[in-house]
Amino acid sequence: MIVADVRILDDADLDAAVAVLARGIREIPLYRWLLGEHADDLGKRAWLAKILLLPLLRAGCVAGAEVDGRLVGVLAWQPHDLDLGVVTEGALTRDDFSAVIETPELLERLRELWTEPPLPPPVPDGVNMILVTVLPEVRGGDVLADLVAPVEEYCREYDRPAYLWTGSPRVRDWFAAGWHGRVFAEVEWNGVHMYGGVSGRPLTSRTRRQM
């Protein structure tokens, strides 16, 4: 059995977190659509991983799983009342977008993603589980589920459910099976069939003993 230590990441962990997400990001249907013909370009994947993670990491909303001192998984979330624009002002600069500015087709898809109305939350006070990935070599155990523990703790403290939007039936089913989740909506978004899943209140694992 693989035993992971889970903690909240900070700036010192950024490079390691980006490396983990860059490996897994093309398995996330929405980001595979965004990367398009660049999905196999590790540099472009690392660029996208950084712009997704850095604001949330600065806000204290990225958890990491470590095995033998090595980061092997990340999960990012956002409470409904966290304004990332205020909390993380200046986290990303124009230089962080130089790679995409030089790639017109990628820039167009990014603009499309960021200017469309966001997918709606199922409840006004839910915690949005934005992305989660673990390295292939540690899959099949409890690492992925363990990553959710900090979100469970937050949801218990504030009596909130969690939700996610995913293009992956596997993630949809994982969330439903592990956290009393249900599908509340299905939509086509940017050419990806997206499933909206929401937990009970508060988010609670079906199997992990609550501390």
PDB file of all heavy atoms in Angstrom, residues 6 25 54 59 101 110 173 175 190 211:
ATOM      1  N   VAL A   6      -0.232  14.354   2.853  1.00  0.00           N
ATOM      2  CA  VAL A   6      -0.945  15.416   2.147  1.00  0.00           C
ATOM      3  C   VAL A   6      -0.815  16.710   2.929  1.00  0.00           C
ATOM      4  O   VAL A   6      -1.005  16.734   4.142  1.00  0.00           O
ATOM      5  CB  VAL A   6      -2.434  15.050   1.959  1.00  0.00           C
ATOM      6  CG1 VAL A   6      -3.193  16.206   1.323  1.00  0.00           C
ATOM      7  CG2 VAL A   6      -2.556  13.797   1.092  1.00  0.00           C
ATOM      8  N   ILE A  25      -2.050  16.774 -17.325  1.00  0.00           N
ATOM      9  CA  ILE A  25      -3.044  17.745 -17.783  1.00  0.00           C
ATOM     10  C   ILE A  25      -3.709  17.339 -19.094  1.00  0.00           C
ATOM     11  O   ILE A  25      -4.872  17.652 -19.332  1.00  0.00           O
ATOM     12  CB  ILE A  25      -2.396  19.152 -17.894  1.00  0.00           C
ATOM     13  CG1 ILE A  25      -3.469  20.233 -17.789  1.00  0.00           C
ATOM     14  CG2 ILE A  25      -1.553  19.284 -19.165  1.00  0.00           C
ATOM     15  CD1 ILE A  25      -2.890  21.611 -17.564  1.00  0.00           C
ATOM     16  N   LEU A  54      -0.810  28.701 -10.069  1.00  0.00           N
ATOM     17  CA  LEU A  54      -0.175  29.749  -9.271  1.00  0.00           C
ATOM     18  C   LEU A  54      -1.162  30.597  -8.474  1.00  0.00           C
ATOM     19  O   LEU A  54      -0.972  30.794  -7.267  1.00  0.00           O
ATOM     20  CB  LEU A  54       0.713  30.629 -10.155  1.00  0.00           C
ATOM     21  CG  LEU A  54       1.475  31.736  -9.419  1.00  0.00           C
ATOM     22  CD1 LEU A  54       2.321  31.180  -8.286  1.00  0.00           C
ATOM     23  CD2 LEU A  54       2.355  32.517 -10.396  1.00  0.00           C
ATOM     24  N   ALA A  59      -3.353  31.452  -2.934  1.00  0.00           N
ATOM     25  CA  ALA A  59      -4.530  31.592  -2.071  1.00  0.00           C
ATOM     26  C   ALA A  59      -4.632  30.471  -1.040  1.00  0.00           C
ATOM     27  O   ALA A  59      -5.561  30.449  -0.234  1.00  0.00           O
ATOM     28  CB  ALA A  59      -5.793  31.621  -2.927  1.00  0.00           C
ATOM     29  N   ILE A 101       0.937  33.848 -26.330  1.00  0.00           N
ATOM     30  CA  ILE A 101       0.820  34.992 -27.226  1.00  0.00           C
ATOM     31  C   ILE A 101       1.465  34.673 -28.573  1.00  0.00           C
ATOM     32  O   ILE A 101       1.017  35.122 -29.634  1.00  0.00           O
ATOM     33  CB  ILE A 101       1.459  36.244 -26.586  1.00  0.00           C
ATOM     34  CG1 ILE A 101       0.586  36.728 -25.417  1.00  0.00           C
ATOM     35  CG2 ILE A 101       1.632  37.369 -27.607  1.00  0.00           C
ATOM     36  CD1 ILE A 101       1.219  37.807 -24.573  1.00  0.00           C
ATOM     37  N   LEU A 110      -7.891  29.973 -25.512  1.00  0.00           N
ATOM     38  CA  LEU A 110      -7.834  30.493 -24.149  1.00  0.00           C
ATOM     39  C   LEU A 110      -8.785  31.674 -23.986  1.00  0.00           C
ATOM     40  O   LEU A 110      -9.500  31.775 -22.980  1.00  0.00           O
ATOM     41  CB  LEU A 110      -6.402  30.916 -23.807  1.00  0.00           C
ATOM     42  CG  LEU A 110      -6.164  31.369 -22.363  1.00  0.00           C
ATOM     43  CD1 LEU A 110      -6.355  30.206 -21.398  1.00  0.00           C
ATOM     44  CD2 LEU A 110      -4.772  31.963 -22.217  1.00  0.00           C
ATOM     45  N   ASP A 173     -17.603   9.303 -11.901  1.00  0.00           N
ATOM     46  CA  ASP A 173     -17.975   8.129 -11.122  1.00  0.00           C
ATOM     47  C   ASP A 173     -17.156   8.026  -9.835  1.00  0.00           C
ATOM     48  O   ASP A 173     -17.663   7.590  -8.792  1.00  0.00           O
ATOM     49  CB  ASP A 173     -17.789   6.870 -11.964  1.00  0.00           C
ATOM     50  CG  ASP A 173     -18.732   6.822 -13.161  1.00  0.00           C
ATOM     51  OD1 ASP A 173     -19.710   7.594 -13.187  1.00  0.00           O
ATOM     52  OD2 ASP A 173     -18.467   6.030 -14.082  1.00  0.00           O
ATOM     53  N   PHE A 175     -16.011  10.522  -8.045  1.00  0.00           N
ATOM     54  CA  PHE A 175     -16.546  11.491  -7.094  1.00  0.00           C
ATOM     55  C   PHE A 175     -17.861  10.990  -6.507  1.00  0.00           C
ATOM     56  O   PHE A 175     -18.097  11.078  -5.298  1.00  0.00           O
ATOM     57  CB  PHE A 175     -16.736  12.834  -7.795  1.00  0.00           C
ATOM     58  CG  PHE A 175     -17.190  13.938  -6.886  1.00  0.00           C
ATOM     59  CD1 PHE A 175     -16.357  14.423  -5.896  1.00  0.00           C
ATOM     60  CD2 PHE A 175     -18.442  14.516  -7.040  1.00  0.00           C
ATOM     61  CE1 PHE A 175     -16.760  15.459  -5.057  1.00  0.00           C
ATOM     62  CE2 PHE A 175     -18.848  15.550  -6.218  1.00  0.00           C
ATOM     63  CZ  PHE A 175     -18.014  16.014  -5.226  1.00  0.00           C
ATOM     64  N   ASN A 190     -17.471  24.188 -24.937  1.00  0.00           N
ATOM     65  CA  ASN A 190     -16.241  24.233 -25.721  1.00  0.00           C
ATOM     66  C   ASN A 190     -15.948  22.887 -26.396  1.00  0.00           C
ATOM     67  O   ASN A 190     -14.805  22.433 -26.474  1.00  0.00           O
ATOM     68  CB  ASN A 190     -15.046  24.636 -24.847  1.00  0.00           C
ATOM     69  CG  ASN A 190     -15.167  26.061 -24.339  1.00  0.00           C
ATOM     70  OD1 ASN A 190     -15.254  26.994 -25.129  1.00  0.00           O
ATOM     71  ND2 ASN A 190     -15.191  26.225 -23.032  1.00  0.00           N
ATOM     72  N   MET A 211     -11.520  12.560  11.415  1.00  0.00           N
ATOM     73  CA  MET A 211     -10.710  12.861  12.599  1.00  0.00           C
ATOM     74  C   MET A 211     -11.380  13.953  13.435  1.00  0.00           C
ATOM     75  O   MET A 211     -12.101  14.768  12.911  1.00  0.00           O
ATOM     76  CB  MET A 211      -9.317  13.327  12.174  1.00  0.00           C
ATOM     77  CG  MET A 211      -8.570  12.308  11.298  1.00  0.00           C
ATOM     78  SD  MET A 211      -8.345  10.704  12.087  1.00  0.00           S
ATOM     79  CE  MET A 211      -7.161  11.161  13.348  1.00  0.00           C
TER      80      MET A 211
END
